[in-house]
Amino acid sequence: MQSTDLGNKESGKIWHRKPSPATRDGIIVNIIHNTSDYHPKVLRFLNVAFDGTGDCLIAGDHQGNIYVFDLYGNRFNLVQRTAQACTALAFNLRRKSEFLVALADYSIKCFDTVTKELVSWMRGHESSVFSISVHASGKYAITTSSDTAQLWDLDTFQRKRKLNIRQSVGIQKVFFLPLSNTILSCFKDNSIFAWECDTLFCKYQLPAPPESSSILYKVFAVTRDGRILAAGGKSNHLHLWCLEARQLFRIIQMPTKVRAIRHLEFLPDSFDAGSNQPPLPLVKVIEDLPKKKLSSSDLKMKVTSGRVQQPAKPRGSKIQTRILKQDLTGDFESKKNELPDGLNKKRLQILLKGYGEYPTKYRMFIWRSLLQLPENHTAFSSLIDKGTHVTFLNLQKKYPIKSRKLLRVLQRTLSALAHWSVIFSDTPYLPLLAFPFVKLFQNNQLICFEVIATLIINWCQHWFEYFPNPPINILSMIENVLAFHDKELLRHFIDHDITSQLYAWPLLETVFSEVLTREEWLKLFDNIFSNHPSFLLMTVVAYNICSRVPLLNCNLKDDFEFFFHHRNNLDINVVIRQVYHLMETTPTDIHPDSMLNVFVALTKGQYPVFNQYPKFIVDYQTQERERIRNDELDYLRERQTVEDMQAEVDQQRVEDEAWCQKQELLRKAEETRREMLLQEEEKIIQQRQRLAAVKRELQVKEMHLQDAARRRFLKLQQDQQEMELRRLDDEIGRKVYMRDREIAATARDLEMRQLELESQKRLYEKNLTENQAAVAKEMRADADAYRRKVDLEEHMFHKLIEAGETQSQKTQKVIKENLAKAEQACLNTDWQIQSLHKQKCDDLQRNKCYQEVAKLLRENRRKEIEILNAMVEQEAKKWKEAEGKEFCLRSAKKASALSDASRKWFLKQEINAAVEHAENPCHKEEPRFQNEQEDASCLPRTSHLNDSSEMHPSTQISLNRRAVEWDTMEQNLIQKVRNLRQRLTAQARHRCQTPHLLAA
């Protein structure tokens, strides 16, 4: 016994060496399924189902893996993973590749084993489905659960009917009876009903079993003819029901160690389709009581424990049994009429003459008994192991059979016959002779081979004596019998040159399979196998005599050939009766039975040697065939060599032509590429020109955009500068306003002080009148002269300012045209100068500031001219102007500082003088005034210092505070100028890094 582990494989072989059943239990192979995980475990197979032919089975484990096992092809395949346990399987549907599986979620699915796809999904059960039964036609299926049974149409996969029951009575099993239209329903209360499938009409109900052997049925089995029902359960009793008589006809008692029956199955036989099971050897039956009513004790029988003995065993070891049917005869016939399995040839002939044929369900069994087949498994296996004979390797080319299985069986059977006897490898009509038997016994090749071998040994006697010609002696026997019984028909054949090779041999070499239907052929061979081997030859004569009318009307040879190779409108029963008539009325001297031997069965163990043929002819043909094969092989080798050489030459020529064509194509392709390159270059040139034009346009647009951006930037800066100037103006105005308020407040204080000093003034008025008048006159003269001088200087200064502004505008225009950076720097510097100029102009008392501003303007004009000339010569010298401007600014700041120092010094002198005057009013101040005049002439001239000499000491103190405020304001202005200069420097550096902007 072999063991096969499926493991994680999805396909593979079932067995790896020739299977041989175990001697004790008959097991061929043990299939297990172990997982190869970290913790290996065994997957249990829960359900198994065979297909209609019995060559394939399908099995499902508790994890939902479904495998198909092809026993004939020695292959297994994983066809589906359902991921849940299967509770029932069915594999005998109308479409052979489809199967039904019931799953743990109460659903039924239909899958295809070839495509591995889901065909349909059926729902409707509310509990686990434990049984699926399919109708013999494959059109309907019944699924059974504990609470309901449902009938499905497998063409549409729709539910047709549903069987509902009371909750107290559960369903045990519902299934179709084989080869019938009946549904059998078995319930848990032991009630069994039969229903009509089409109308669902209740046909009958089986009676209750006897109380002495009452068991609760759990398992059921039916023979393939649907006549016997076996039922068992939790007991060692087995009940057999006859469904035709609708009664219990046998109770089988199992051994005492058997407590319950878990499964029942009828074993199929090779010829009776399982209708005569269970087998009889182990059954011991009590005495038959057909005339009276049977009790439960009368029906009981005991089954002895031990190994089953088959009927094929030697007769000495057979157990004599009796069945419930009455014997037809009470005495045995002669020993020569006895057949295996308890049959009698004479009685079978009587039955055959009465009914014309054997019962269909018993025919194969009767044939096996008539032919006394030995069933030599070992000898047949040795023939099969030799493989396919070389003669039949290309059998499908001469005989294109649609069914591949049938073709394989035919090929194996013919090969076995050729290995048995060499004559059959050269027999051209052997496939025609064997084909009807192969088609009939395609599921049992051993029986098929032995039937054909028995036919050849007995009914084909003397066929091979004139090999390779047709059997002239046999055909002469047929012609003699025909001449005796129908001379007119024979004369008609002779007149039209129709020999026995045309009207007899086609029927013999095809054993009538071309001219008869299946049923007619089976009926004919029921009679052939039951009679002497000469019956086959008499059948040929009878077929011609029964067809004499259409044959006498045939005049052409083609018509005769067509007639004996096609089916004709002929009653086979008439032909058989005519054969029996010929067998009885033919004279002994021409009767074929006097020339043919009686039936001889095949020997048991080894097949007999078949050498009834001219050995020298066969050997000569074998030698000639071997010589021809060798010559053919030599010729084929030489032709192959020539073909190889020719192929090489052709290949070389093709390669040369291909090379030339390739070179020509390459040349044309090169020319085409060159033209394309020229065109592409021209296109590239045009594109470059267009690109250059576009680039120029973009550059122009860029210049315009840059110019517009520069102008917007300049305008923005100018607006910012104007805004800054306005802010400075506002600040200066605010400072002036504050200063005026302070001056007004000081004036009010001075007035108050004046009132206080009036009284003192009156005291000194007389003394000082003359002095004061002289001093006042001189001061007024000096002041008038100084005012005229200041007015002239202011007039000249304004002209200078206007001239400077005009020159500055021209310079700015030139700078704007050449360089935006220099223009910005000049504008910033002019803005600083103007801002400083306004600040100094607002202070009328700072005369010295006018001179310094004029000096600054002259210096600015000179610097601008130098910068303009430097810009033309070298761009790098542009920054010198900014440095010059910065130097001018520092100079202006120094001048402003000197002016402040002078003003402070003057104020200090005035304060000191006022203090001295307050301490010594009578002191004479002229000499000091003159010294002050001389000292003042040494300082820079300012218009406001002369006015301050007439002020009161308190006025001088107020002016001192104002001077400090002006110093603070000037420091703030200097810081702003410094920040502006830094920004200008950064902008100048940025412009130096982008020279194209300066060029623009």
Side-chain angles (χ1 to χ4, degrees):
M1 180 184 69
Q2 301 184 44
S3 181
T4 301
D5 187 2
L6 303 183
N8 291 334
K9 296 182 291 186
E10 294 187 358
S11 63
K13 291 185 177 181
I14 303 176
W15 48 74
H16 297 277
R17 62 180 184 273
K18 180 182 176 181
S20 58
T23 56
R24 296 186 59 185
D25 50 15
I27 297 178
I28 299 176
V29 63
N30 183 23
I31 300 175
I32 58 177
H33 190 189
N34 292 326
T35 60
S36 59
D37 299 334
Y38 182 75
H39 297 288
K41 59 181 178 180
V42 178
L43 300 181
R44 295 176 290 105
F45 285 102
L46 300 180
N47 292 278
V48 176
F50 280 86
D51 64 351
T53 63
D55 292 337
C56 292
L57 63 93
I58 188 170
D61 58 25
H62 69 276
Q63 285 192 353
N65 301 316
I66 300 178
Y67 291 86
V68 171
F69 298 90
D70 185 1
L71 303 179
Y72 190 81
N74 188 22
R75 299 289 298 177
F76 73 86
N77 289 286
L78 177 63
V79 296
Q80 198 57 237
R81 285 191 175 95
T82 60
Q84 51 184 325
C86 62
T87 58
L89 288 171
F91 196 25
N92 52 347
L93 278 64
R94 177 184 298 180
R95 292 173 285 274
K96 304 303 180 184
S97 62
E98 295 180 358
F99 66 92
L100 294 175
V101 54
L103 301 175
D105 62 351
Y106 314 150
S107 65
I108 302 100
K109 293 184 179 180
C110 181
F111 294 100
D112 194 299
T113 59
V114 178
T115 61
K116 300 182 180 180
E117 294 180 353
L118 178 65
V119 179
S120 181
W121 192 347
M122 298 175 285
R123 291 183 177 271
H125 284 277
E126 297 180 356
S127 59
S128 179
V129 178
F130 55 79
S131 173
I132 300 177
S133 178
V134 181
H135 192 265
S137 64
K139 185 177 180 181
Y140 302 108
I142 294 178
T143 57
T144 308
S145 60
S146 60
D147 56 353
T148 183
Q150 300 184 9
L151 178 63
W152 303 86
D153 188 345
L154 297 183
D155 291 335
T156 61
F157 295 100
Q158 298 293 326
R159 184 175 63 189
K160 295 190 64 177
R161 301 296 289 269
K162 181 179 180 181
L163 175 63
N164 294 318
I165 60 171
R166 296 194 303 269
Q167 294 181 356
S168 59
V169 180
I171 298 177
Q172 200 67 48
K173 190 174 183 180
V174 180
F175 55 93
F176 288 102
L177 291 181
L179 305 178
S180 69
N181 224 20
T182 304
I183 300 175
L184 210 63
S185 60
C186 307
F187 300 94
K188 292 184 179 180
D189 60 354
N190 276 14
S191 60
I192 300 176
F193 293 86
W195 309 82
E196 184 66 29
C197 178
D198 295 332
T199 62
L200 294 181
F201 175 76
C202 183
K203 299 173 64 174
Y204 58 85
Q205 179 184 2
L206 295 181
E211 297 180 357
S212 60
S213 181
S214 179
I215 58 176
L216 291 178
Y217 294 152
K218 297 289 186 181
V219 291
F220 306 88
V222 183
T223 56
R224 292 193 177 182
D225 59 356
R227 294 184 177 183
I228 298 176
L229 170 66
K234 197 173 182 180
S235 173
N236 64 344
H237 285 185
L238 182 64
H239 290 184
L240 298 182
W241 292 86
C242 178
L243 297 181
E244 291 181 342
R246 304 172 188 175
Q247 65 179 359
L248 179 67
F249 75 95
R250 184 170 299 165
I251 299 176
I252 301 177
Q253 183 177 359
M254 307 299 290
T256 56
K257 64 180 181 180
V258 176
R259 299 291 183 87
I261 300 175
R262 299 290 300 275
H263 187 74
L264 285 175
E265 196 71 38
F266 283 96
L267 301 179
D269 192 81
S270 301
F271 291 96
D272 62 355
S275 61
N276 65 337
Q277 308 294 328
L280 303 178
L282 294 181
V283 180
K284 186 176 182 181
V285 187
I286 63 174
E287 182 180 358
D288 296 329
L289 298 172
K291 300 292 185 179
K292 62 180 181 180
K293 186 177 180 180
L294 299 178
S295 63
S296 61
S297 61
D298 297 331
L299 294 174
K300 287 186 178 180
M301 51 185 281
K302 292 186 178 180
V303 179
T304 61
S305 61
R307 188 179 174 189
V308 176
Q309 302 294 329
Q310 297 294 340
K313 296 296 180 182
R315 295 178 182 177
S317 63
K318 291 175 61 179
I319 299 176
Q320 299 296 329
T321 63
R322 295 174 63 192
I323 59 176
L324 295 180
K325 278 180 68 175
Q326 292 292 326
D327 295 332
L328 296 177
T329 61
D331 300 328
F332 290 99
E333 293 291 334
S334 60
K335 188 175 182 179
K336 66 178 181 180
N337 291 325
E338 289 183 357
L339 298 174
D341 301 323
L343 298 180
N344 186 277
K345 186 175 182 179
K346 197 67 176 178
R347 291 163 58 190
L348 289 176
Q349 289 177 347
I350 294 173
L351 180 65
L352 181 63
K353 288 184 179 180
Y355 291 98
E357 60 178 333
Y358 293 126
T360 302
K361 57 185 177 182
Y362 297 118
R363 176 177 283 124
M364 300 297 105
F365 173 68
I366 294 173
W367 281 17
R368 186 185 69 174
S369 299
L370 289 172
L371 299 179
Q372 301 177 23
L373 302 180
E375 299 187 15
N376 298 327
H377 292 275
T378 305
F380 178 71
S381 298
S382 64
L383 294 176
I384 291 296
D385 291 342
K386 293 180 180 180
T388 303
H389 197 275
V390 66
T391 307
F392 306 108
L393 287 174
N394 299 321
L395 184 65
Q396 69 276 7
K397 295 182 180 179
K398 189 174 182 180
Y399 300 99
I401 300 175
K402 185 177 181 180
S403 174
R404 297 183 61 185
K405 178 183 177 181
L406 187 60
L407 177 63
R408 290 196 302 269
V409 176
L410 177 62
Q411 193 176 41
R412 292 183 180 180
T413 304
L414 296 177
S415 299
L417 292 171
H419 292 311
W420 175 44
S421 179
V422 69
I423 184 66
F424 298 123
S425 62
D426 297 324
T427 305
Y429 57 85
L430 184 64
L432 300 176
L433 184 143
F435 180 74
F437 298 97
V438 171
K439 191 172 183 180
L440 187 63
F441 299 101
Q442 58 181 321
N443 293 327
N444 196 331
Q445 300 179 36
L446 171 62
I447 302 300
C448 179
F449 172 80
E450 292 185 349
V451 168
I452 297 173
T454 304
L455 177 70
I456 291 174
I457 291 177
N458 294 279
W459 282 270
C460 298
Q461 298 180 39
H462 310 294
W463 279 30
F464 306 97
E465 293 178 357
Y466 294 91
F467 184 83
N469 298 317
I472 305 300
N473 50 352
I474 299 297
L475 298 179
S476 298
M477 296 180 194
I478 296 173
E479 187 171 353
N480 292 334
V481 175
L482 181 63
F484 179 81
H485 291 282
D486 198 338
K487 294 181 180 179
E488 181 183 0
L489 181 59
L490 181 60
R491 174 58 57 187
H492 182 71
F493 286 154
I494 295 173
D495 293 342
H496 291 86
D497 196 19
I498 303 301
T499 63
S500 58
Q501 296 186 16
L502 184 58
Y503 67 80
W505 182 236
L507 301 177
L508 289 176
E509 66 179 358
T510 61
V511 289
F512 293 90
S513 61
E514 287 186 346
V515 296
L516 297 178
T517 62
R518 175 185 172 89
E519 291 74 16
E520 294 174 344
W521 187 85
L522 292 173
K523 185 181 295 186
L524 175 61
F525 268 86
D526 284 345
N527 292 272
I528 291 175
F529 287 153
S530 300
N531 289 278
H532 191 271
S534 62
F535 193 89
L536 178 62
L537 305 183
M538 289 299 188
T539 305
V540 177
V541 179
Y543 188 84
N544 282 272
I545 293 174
C546 293
S547 304
R548 67 186 313 272
V549 175
L551 290 174
L552 290 175
N553 292 327
C554 294
N555 298 319
L556 299 177
K557 187 175 181 180
D558 293 338
D559 296 339
F560 289 101
E561 290 181 354
F562 182 84
F563 184 86
F564 289 104
H565 285 281
H566 293 82
R567 296 176 183 174
N568 302 291
N569 187 15
L570 188 63
D571 188 359
I572 191 63
N573 296 319
V574 176
V575 175
I576 293 174
R577 287 196 297 269
Q578 182 66 29
V579 173
Y580 281 107
H581 175 72
L582 294 177
M583 291 287 290
E584 295 174 357
T585 59
T586 302
T588 307
D589 56 343
I590 62 173
H591 201 293
D593 62 356
S594 61
M595 304 175 190
L596 300 178
N597 299 326
V598 296
F599 174 81
V600 177
L602 295 177
T603 58
K604 193 169 184 62
Q606 295 293 332
Y607 296 116
V609 177
F610 185 82
N611 55 3
Q612 300 175 9
Y613 57 89
K615 190 173 184 301
F616 68 95
I617 294 179
V618 176
D619 294 342
Y620 175 75
Q621 285 189 347
T622 303
Q623 294 174 2
E624 285 296 315
R625 187 165 55 251
E626 188 66 25
R627 183 183 60 80
I628 292 172
R629 184 179 293 110
N630 293 331
D631 293 342
E632 185 178 2
L633 291 175
D634 294 338
Y635 167 72
L636 290 176
R637 282 194 295 269
E638 293 178 359
R639 190 177 69 176
Q640 185 65 32
T641 304
V642 173
E643 289 179 354
D644 293 342
M645 295 177 62
Q646 184 64 32
E648 291 180 0
V649 173
D650 295 340
Q651 182 67 22
Q652 186 64 32
R653 179 174 52 80
V654 170
E655 290 178 357
D656 294 341
E657 292 178 356
W659 184 82
C660 295
Q661 293 177 358
K662 188 175 181 181
Q663 293 297 324
E664 183 65 21
L665 292 175
L666 289 174
R667 185 183 61 80
K668 292 181 178 179
E670 184 178 1
E671 293 178 356
T672 304
R673 299 297 191 281
R674 287 179 179 176
E675 293 178 358
M676 291 174 63
L677 286 175
L678 293 176
Q679 293 176 0
E680 290 297 328
E681 288 179 356
E682 184 66 25
K683 291 180 180 179
I684 290 173
I685 292 173
Q686 295 177 359
Q687 290 179 357
R688 286 178 178 175
Q689 292 177 355
R690 291 194 297 269
L691 184 62
V694 173
K695 192 174 181 180
R696 287 193 299 269
E697 292 178 359
L698 291 176
Q699 289 178 351
V700 172
K701 290 182 179 179
E702 184 180 5
M703 291 172 64
H704 290 319
L705 291 175
Q706 290 177 354
D707 186 62
R710 182 182 61 82
R711 291 179 180 178
R712 286 196 300 272
F713 179 73
L714 292 177
K715 187 176 183 304
L716 179 62
Q717 287 188 341
Q718 186 175 3
D719 294 340
Q720 291 179 351
Q721 292 174 359
E722 292 178 355
M723 185 183 298
E724 187 69 20
L725 290 174
R726 286 194 297 272
R727 188 184 64 80
L728 292 175
D729 290 340
D730 294 338
E731 185 177 358
I732 292 172
R734 185 178 61 82
K735 294 291 185 179
V736 170
Y737 175 74
M738 294 296 295
R739 185 195 60 187
D740 292 341
R741 290 185 61 185
E742 292 177 356
I743 292 173
T746 305
R748 286 193 298 271
D749 292 339
L750 292 175
E751 289 178 357
M752 293 297 295
R753 181 64 177 168
Q754 183 97 18
L755 292 174
E756 292 177 356
L757 297 175
E758 260 187 41
S759 59
Q760 296 179 5
K761 183 179 179 180
R762 291 188 188 95
L763 297 175
Y764 299 103
E765 189 174 6
K766 290 181 179 180
N767 299 327
L768 296 176
T769 299
E770 294 179 359
N771 294 333
Q772 187 67 31
V775 171
K777 184 178 180 181
E778 184 179 357
M779 289 294 293
R780 281 194 297 270
D782 294 336
D784 293 336
Y786 186 78
R787 287 191 183 93
R788 287 192 298 270
K789 181 181 179 181
V790 168
D791 293 336
L792 179 61
E793 289 176 355
E794 284 180 353
H795 179 68
M796 294 175 64
F797 179 78
H798 286 301
K799 287 184 178 180
L800 181 62
I801 291 297
E802 290 175 358
E805 288 178 352
T806 303
Q807 185 64 27
S808 177
Q809 290 176 357
K810 291 180 180 180
T811 304
Q812 289 175 5
K813 185 176 181 181
V814 174
I815 292 174
K816 284 181 182 178
E817 292 175 356
N818 295 296
L819 188 63
K821 179 181 176 181
E823 179 183 64
Q824 185 64 36
C826 293
L827 288 174
N828 292 336
T829 306
D830 292 337
W831 169 74
Q832 293 176 1
I833 294 171
Q834 292 176 4
S835 177
L836 186 59
H837 175 68
K838 286 185 178 182
Q839 292 176 5
K840 294 185 179 295
C841 290
D842 291 336
D843 191 2
L844 298 177
Q845 299 179 0
R846 298 182 179 184
N847 184 38
K848 183 61 179 179
C849 181
Y850 293 156
Q851 297 178 2
E852 294 296 329
V853 170
K855 182 180 180 181
L856 186 60
L857 290 175
R858 290 192 300 271
E859 186 68 17
N860 186 28
R861 286 195 300 272
R862 183 179 62 81
K863 293 294 182 181
E864 286 178 354
I865 295 172
E866 291 177 358
I867 290 172
L868 185 59
N869 295 330
M871 281 194 311
V872 177
E873 296 174 358
Q874 187 178 3
E875 184 180 356
K877 297 180 180 180
K878 294 177 182 180
W879 291 102
K880 294 182 178 181
E881 181 182 1
E883 294 176 357
K885 298 294 183 178
E886 186 176 359
F887 175 75
C888 294
L889 184 61
R890 288 196 299 269
S891 300
K893 290 179 181 180
K894 291 179 180 180
S896 178
L898 293 174
S899 175
D900 292 339
S902 175
R903 187 171 58 256
K904 290 178 181 179
W905 178 81
F906 177 76
L907 292 175
K908 184 178 180 182
Q909 293 294 330
E910 290 297 326
I911 291 171
N912 292 333
V915 172
E916 292 178 357
H917 178 71
E919 292 178 354
N920 192 6
C922 298
H923 188 270
K924 199 173 185 178
E925 293 182 358
E926 289 183 358
R928 185 189 59 83
F929 184 76
Q930 292 177 359
N931 292 333
E932 289 177 0
Q933 291 281 348
E934 293 176 359
D935 293 335
S937 64
C938 297
L939 294 175
R941 296 182 179 180
T942 55
S943 59
H944 65 278
L945 292 179
N946 296 324
D947 296 334
S948 62
S949 59
E950 301 177 356
M951 294 182 181
H952 196 269
S954 60
T955 303
Q956 295 295 331
I957 295 172
S958 177
L959 290 176
N960 192 13
R961 289 197 306 269
R962 290 175 57 194
V964 174
E965 293 175 359
W966 279 103
D967 291 340
T968 303
M969 187 174 63
E970 287 178 359
Q971 292 297 329
N972 294 335
L973 182 60
I974 291 170
Q975 184 65 32
K976 292 180 181 180
V977 172
R978 184 179 294 111
N979 295 335
L980 184 61
R981 181 177 58 83
Q982 291 178 356
R983 288 197 301 269
L984 292 175
T985 303
Q987 292 177 1
R989 290 177 182 175
H990 177 69
R991 292 179 180 177
C992 290
Q993 293 176 0
T994 55
H996 61 278
L997 293 175
L998 298 176

